[in-house]
Amino acid sequence: MKSIKNTILLLGVLFAFTTACTDDYESVPVDQYTIEYVFSETDSAGVQAVRFLNNIYSSLPNGYNRVGSDFLDAATDDAVSLYMDADPDVARLQSGRYTASNQVSSDMNWGTWYAAIRKCNIFINNIERVPFNTTYINSKEYTDSEGNAVVGEERPLGSSYKAEARFLRAFFYFNLLERYGGVPLLGDKVFDINDNLELPRNTFEECVNYIISELDDIQDSLRSLPMRDATAFAHAPTKQACIAFKARVLLYAASPLFNGKTLQQGNPYVGYTDYDPKRWDKAAEVAWQFIDKYGVLSTRTSMNRSKFQLIADYWKVFSNYFSTETRENIFFRNNGSGTSVERSNGPLGFTGNKLGNGRTNPTQNLVDAFVMKDGKPRGESKYAYDPQHPYDNRDGRLEYTVLHQGSPWLNTQLDTYQGGTNNPSGSGRYNQTSYYLCKFMNNFSTSAEYANHTELWIYFRFAEVLLNYAEAANESDQRDAYMDNIINVLIPIRHRAGIEPGADKRYGLDPTMTREQMREVIHNERRCELAFEEHRFFDIRRWREAETIFQQPLQGMQVVKGTTQTAYTPIDILTVNWTDKMYLYPIPYTEVNKNSNMVQNPNWNE
């Protein structure tokens, strides 16, 4: 067998991640490429090397219905799959019906992540062979309040590409870390068949430190906003994405599952062996660094294109890499233009260019999480909650996220009750919750049919950074000093949601709340703002709250439409039998079986 030093074997197809702002992935069949061909010492444009890097980008997960055709959030308390009776992958994840030897392959991607890491190492080890004859301008500081391009420093193009590969490698390691805890770190080594592959797991702390050190080291080599070549490189991680990523890693590391309430005390692979409250301070510090230097907290529209701010129109967040007014999305994958989200998840009962398969059914549990219009929960709001008009006077994000009985959609009002026009018995399956997903779609409430739009899967956006700061600051021992900032970062999120400011202009937020009360508010705010963005699945785990959350059944809404009125009754649809070992995935049996140094996660040895 040829050594990897001489030959790269790529299985399947090579994807050209071309102009990421406008084009979908283009597949190019390949057989074998030599190192010398891909990283040619005579290719001053680096054509094949860049194609190889673009192939690594194609390994980034596309969150839209990616888990066996369902959203990962359908494995939480926020949704169920229309195809529950067919035992889809998300149902197995939700109920823990998997083992180390019988895994849910669509999310337990141990081999997939390591294959991507190996590609990163090949690129990192060889990109310096390529004699790029071009450079790029990297902006050092933001001095133009109007967002005009500023004079930055010139950097070698190859160093930027190498930094991108290291960012992606750190991203793949983090995906392993949040699922498994500590995993083997390979450094820059590219292993081949003759190497000793019985590598031990690195500790959780070592993995966190490695990811953070990588991000610190590459931060200034990545492109920085504003970019003169933004059209071609909007998909690429920037200096700002690096800081946002670092803030998330530190937030997760400070969280109870890994810091203080680990699955097995003293086990260094599943978390820190000690509790340190200062980890919350570090997470808050980095998130605030991003907000203070690169963000705008004003609820008014800004024209500073160098800064991040919440896009005024929530519908457009997931179809615009940046709007004409401002930018919110920090790092994303562009899946091209189309209506795939609508086709998979739009309401049943339509045909032709209105056809939807109704795959994702939000739960009543999620609907109940959206507060009243004044920012207060039911029972504390000045608005009385009417169970027979359950969607009146609610947080505006409810309508941006969920379609329900009576929702305007495709120029009609939906009938989502069982047997209704948009939940017909002829479909073969009923939507048991009477709710459909509309988040990530364009606003088709008055449209005659679905129309193509850009479909972005967003990994980091400014709203998350704000929420990351609020959570970390609230958990910090310094929370009293942070309280004004905690309120101030939550206000723009609630303002965009349509929450009323109130007489005190705090949008329903009370600075006298205890840590526990504010924690509940922040956790709920994350749930509503980041719904279906693959946060809830990991949030309820890192918080060590899944064991409590799943004590309550998942619910739907029973809708009975009469001649004069419609009756609404919440009903139980699913009980999840949670066990604490589900907080982390089991290491694949094949890895443990062939590697005597591989330690399995707690209680997964059966």
Side-chain angles (χ1 to χ4, degrees), residues 371-378 380-381 383 393-395 494 498-500 506-509 521 525:
V371 295
M372 304 303 288
K373 192 163 61 174
D374 61 355
K376 300 292 186 180
R378 292 184 303 180
E380 300 177 22
S381 170
Y383 294 100
N393 299 315
R394 302 290 293 277
D395 177 341
R494 289 196 157 201
I499 300 294
E500 296 171 344
R506 289 197 175 106
Y507 292 79
L509 300 166
V521 168
E525 201 70 29

Side-chain angles (χ1 to χ4, degrees), residues 271-315:
Y272 293 105
T273 56
D274 66 323
Y275 171 70
D276 187 351
K278 289 185 172 55
R279 293 183 181 119
W280 289 113
D281 291 296
K282 186 63 176 176
E285 175 188 327
V286 175
W288 186 255
Q289 176 190 351
F290 185 102
I291 296 166
D292 187 49
K293 188 169 185 179
Y294 303 115
V296 176
L297 291 179
S298 171
T299 56
R300 298 179 179 179
T301 300
S302 168
M303 291 300 292
N304 190 339
R305 300 294 297 283
S306 304
K307 302 275 187 172
F308 289 90
Q309 187 181 8
L310 302 188
I311 296 173
D313 186 348
Y314 194 83
W315 287 105

Side-chain angles (χ1 to χ4, degrees), residues 59-63 66 72 106-110 112-114 116-117 167-183 204 207 211 245 248-249 252 258 331 457 459-460 533-534 537-538 584-585:
S59 300
L60 289 169
N62 170 18
R66 72 163 182 83
L72 180 61
S106 55
D107 194 61
M108 297 178 178
N109 299 318
W110 178 280
T112 301
W113 300 125
Y114 272 109
I117 289 167
F167 179 98
L168 295 174
R169 181 174 64 181
F171 187 83
F172 298 139
Y173 272 123
F174 179 72
N175 274 268
L176 285 162
L177 187 72
E178 65 184 347
R179 289 167 169 80
Y180 298 99
V183 296
F204 177 84
C207 290
I211 293 172
F245 184 12
R248 185 192 293 180
V249 174
Y252 273 55
F258 305 114
F331 182 53
W457 181 254
Y459 303 111
F460 301 100
E533 297 178 49
E534 295 201 349
F537 185 84
F538 299 106
L584 292 174
Y585 285 163

Side-chain angles (χ1 to χ4, degrees), residues 37-56:
Y37 174 76
V38 176
F39 302 98
S40 172
E41 295 179 358
T42 60
D43 182 7
S44 61
V47 174
Q48 298 305 327
V50 172
R51 294 181 73 187
F52 189 87
L53 177 61
N54 291 337
N55 173 253
I56 301 174

Side-chain angles (χ1 to χ4, degrees), residues 283-555:
E285 175 188 327
V286 175
W288 186 255
Q289 176 190 351
F290 185 102
I291 296 166
D292 187 49
K293 188 169 185 179
Y294 303 115
V296 176
L297 291 179
S298 171
T299 56
R300 298 179 179 179
T301 300
S302 168
M303 291 300 292
N304 190 339
R305 300 294 297 283
S306 304
K307 302 275 187 172
F308 289 90
Q309 187 181 8
L310 302 188
I311 296 173
D313 186 348
Y314 194 83
W315 287 105
K316 294 181 179 179
V317 172
F318 308 97
S319 60
N320 286 268
Y321 10 96
F322 46 81
S323 73
T324 56
E325 297 87 15
T326 186
R327 66 175 75 232
E328 176 172 353
N329 299 328
I330 301 169
F331 182 53
F332 59 85
R333 170 175 171 151
N334 185 356
N335 295 305
S337 179
T339 58
S340 65
V341 181
E342 290 79 10
R343 300 294 181 190
S344 294
N345 305 287
L348 300 170
F350 294 104
T351 59
N353 290 332
K354 301 179 181 181
L355 179 67
N357 291 316
R359 183 93 194 191
T360 305
N361 304 162
T363 60
Q364 186 63 41
N365 310 62
L366 173 62
V367 171
D368 286 344
F370 291 91
V371 295
M372 304 303 288
K373 192 163 61 174
D374 61 355
K376 300 292 186 180
R378 292 184 303 180
E380 300 177 22
S381 170
K382 69 180 182 182
Y383 294 100
Y385 174 77
D386 183 351
Q388 296 310 310
H389 295 89
Y391 315 116
D392 291 352
N393 299 315
R394 302 290 293 277
D395 177 341
R397 286 170 297 192
L398 175 59
E399 303 299 325
Y400 297 140
T401 306
V402 175
L403 296 173
H404 53 76
Q405 174 68 25
S407 287
W409 196 249
L410 292 173
N411 209 26
T412 189
Q413 286 189 319
L414 298 179
D415 276 325
T416 64
Y417 60 89
Q418 290 192 7
T421 302
N422 304 109
N423 197 3
S425 57
S427 65
R429 289 178 170 84
Y430 280 121
N431 177 333
Q432 295 187 58
T433 70
S434 296
Y435 296 118
Y436 292 106
L437 179 70
C438 63
K439 187 171 180 176
F440 311 113
M441 304 178 191
N442 274 359
N443 185 357
F444 293 113
S445 57
T446 59
S447 301
E449 60 186 23
Y450 294 131
N452 289 345
H453 60 89
T454 303
E455 296 179 336
L456 303 180
W457 181 254
I458 299 169
Y459 303 111
F460 301 100
R461 62 185 177 99
F462 188 48
E464 184 210 340
V465 178
L466 298 177
L467 290 164
N468 290 350
Y469 172 79
E471 180 183 340
N474 183 63
E475 300 298 339
S476 166
D477 287 344
Q478 308 298 316
R479 74 178 295 268
D480 290 343
Y482 291 150
M483 184 52 64
D484 285 345
N485 283 343
I486 293 172
I487 299 290
N488 288 336
V489 300
L490 294 176
I491 283 176
I493 297 174
R494 289 196 157 201
H495 171 81
R496 178 172 64 183
I499 300 294
E500 296 171 344
D504 60 2
K505 308 297 183 183
R506 289 197 175 106
Y507 292 79
L509 300 166
D510 183 354
T512 67
M513 284 188 286
T514 65
R515 186 193 309 273
E516 291 71 26
Q517 291 170 328
M518 183 62 82
R519 177 188 300 147
E520 184 175 351
V521 168
I522 294 169
H523 285 192
N524 194 70
E525 201 70 29
R526 284 185 71 92
R527 184 181 192 179
C528 296
E529 176 66 27
L530 304 177
F532 299 98
E533 297 178 49
E534 295 201 349
H535 289 277
R536 181 71 175 171
F537 185 84
F538 299 106
D539 281 349
I540 63 177
R541 284 164 170 75
R542 67 181 179 84
W543 294 332
R544 282 297 304 252
E545 290 185 354
E547 58 205 77
T548 301
I549 286 169
F550 286 122
Q551 288 178 4
Q552 303 300 318
L554 274 59
Q555 292 190 315

